Every structure is written in C-alpha cells, then in structure tokens.
C-alpha cells in the first residue's frame, strides 16, 4: 500500500469481527488530503462498520488506523472527534426536541472542549465562547440553507433538511475529515444534485477530506476522486470512478444490481 505525505488517514490490515462474522476483513487503504473518497458496496458489506471503527464507536479486532501520523484505533469517540474527524449517521442522530441552532451549537462544543451539556442543557459556558459558538453555528446554518428556521425543533424538519442539519452539526467541529454515511438517502433527484454540489463546495471552502458512503451510483461516480468497493467485508476495488465502473468484480458484486 502506498502512503505518502498527502495521506491523512490510513487503514492497515483493519479487521472487525462480530462473533463469527467478519464485518471488516483485513482492509488496507489510504485517503489523501482534500480527497472526496467514495465507499460503496451492497448492504451488509461493512461500510458503516468501517465508519464506526474510524470514529471510535467500536474498536478493531485487529489492524491499525493512522490519522495524520497518529494511531487512533481504540481511542474514544470524543477524543477522535476532537482530533478532527466528524461524521453523520446513516440513521440520523439529532436531538429532535432541540432547535436547529442548539443542535449545531452542541457539535461546536465538542470542538471548544467545553462540556457537551453546558449552554444547551443548563450550566452556562464562558460568555465569549458561547457567543462565538452561536455565531459559528449561524454561519453553518446559513451554509446549509436553514438560516430562516434556526428556532425550529429538529424533529419537525423534513428528511432531506435533517440530513443537511446533521452536516452543519458535523462541520461545527471544524473537522479535517468529514465522514458522510448515506447523506443522499431519502432525497429526491434535485436534492441529490444539490447535495453533490454542496459536498464539493465544502471540500473546497474548508479544505476538507470527505469520505462518502452512498448508494446512488451517478452521484458517487460524478463526485468522488476515488472509490473503494467493499463486498462481504473485503476491499475488492479501489480506483478512479471510470476504472471502478468497468471492474468485472465490482459489476458482479454491486453495479450489476443497479
Ligand atoms: N454491532 C454489531 N453487532 C453485530 N453485527 C454487526 C454490528 N454492526 C454491524 N454488524 C454486521 O456487520 C455487517 C456489516 O454491517 P454494516 O457495516 O452496517 O454494513 P453496510 O453499512 O455496508 O450496509 C452486517 O452483517 C451487520 O449485520
Ligand atoms: Mg451502512
């Protein structure tokens, strides 16, 4: 596997077992800075498990994860988040009872290292920090087009807007790497195109590295610099979209079904 000074994240022989099931099987790859890196494969292939490993929700059974030269495998989620890796979830995880603004401020608090429960849930943080967080949160809500609905409870937003709100919350962390788990799920074709443009925009604006799990093949092919294909926990292809698309193993495992 090639690793160079552009590498921000590298998985080395990464394996995760659940009992007898090998959900992620001896996977090695590296992701370059500012890259939009696609992750595709059938349901159950191990894509979300890979995100859970990278973000520390679960530890690997074997192998290493190197982020900016540092081993992160086995670190706790809040520690990995504070190092600059943010994510969204396949099953949206917002605080439904809280407002859009409060949801983004919570994401920001991870970054400022003040307690998650300050401000929003009771204990007031330092006034300077609070003001900064609110301003940052408002900017991000504007970026995702929700600036007119900042007081609305998250649970009242339609699906596509909840996904955008979740992206705003992840960006509040000011991450180096943003992991998006099926962000276009439940969106209509025009929302999908907007999302694709938006992902490119934030990559450029924030100099972000993005790893994207997505089933909508045209979106992935049009957006990603490189695409990794998982099947039954194994990495069966990793290359530029035009090459992955012609790969017989990929067509057999995944694209043939589309
Ligand atoms: N916490 C868990 N406990 C047991 N099995 C799991 C767990 N998480 C995922 N799996 C299993 O691992 C495999 C990969 O799942 P997942 O990573 O969610 O796939 P994908 O995101 O590619 O659809 C599936 O067979 C799934 O049932
Ligand atoms: Mg998944």
């Amino acid at each position: 596997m090639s690793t160079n000074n552009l590498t921000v994240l590298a998985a080395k022989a990464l394996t995760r077992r659940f009992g007898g099931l090998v959900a992620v099987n001896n996977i090695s790859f590296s992701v370059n800075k500012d890259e939009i890196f696609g992750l595709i494969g059938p349901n159950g292939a191990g894509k979300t498990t890979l995100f859970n490993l990278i973000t520390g929700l679960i530890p690997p059974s074997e192998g290493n994860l190197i982020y900016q030269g540092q081993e992160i495998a086995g670190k706790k989620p809040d520690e990995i988040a504070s190092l600059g890796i943010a994510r969204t979830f396949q099953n949206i995880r917002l605080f439904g009872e809280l407002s859009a603004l409060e949801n983004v401020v919570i994401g920001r608090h991870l970054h400022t290292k003040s307690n998650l429960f300050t401000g929003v849930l009771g204990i007031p943080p330092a006034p300077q920090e609070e003001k900064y967080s609110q301003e940052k949160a408002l900017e991000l809500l504007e970026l995702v087009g929700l600036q007119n609905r900042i007081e609305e409870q998250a649970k009242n937003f339609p699906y596509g807007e909840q996904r955008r709100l979740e992206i705003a919350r992840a960006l509040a962390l000011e991450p180096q790497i943003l992991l998006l788990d099926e962000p276009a799920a439940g969106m209509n074709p025009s929302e999908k195109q907007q999302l694709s443009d938006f992902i490119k925009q934030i990559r450029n604006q924030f100099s972000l590295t993005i790893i994207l799990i997505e089933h909508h093949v045209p979106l992935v092919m049009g957006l990603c610099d490189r695409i990794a294909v998982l099947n039954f926990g194994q990495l069966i292809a990793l290359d530029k979209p035009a090459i992955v698309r012609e790969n017989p193993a990929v067509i057999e495992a995944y694209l043939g079904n589309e």
Side-chain angles (χ1 to χ4, degrees), residues 48 90 181-182:
T48 296
Q90 185 171 353
D181 196 344
E182 303 197 22

Side-chain angles (χ1 to χ4, degrees), residues 18 21 23 42-49 90:
F18 295 110
L21 175 82
N43 281 326
K47 305 179 299 293
T48 296
T49 300
Q90 185 171 353

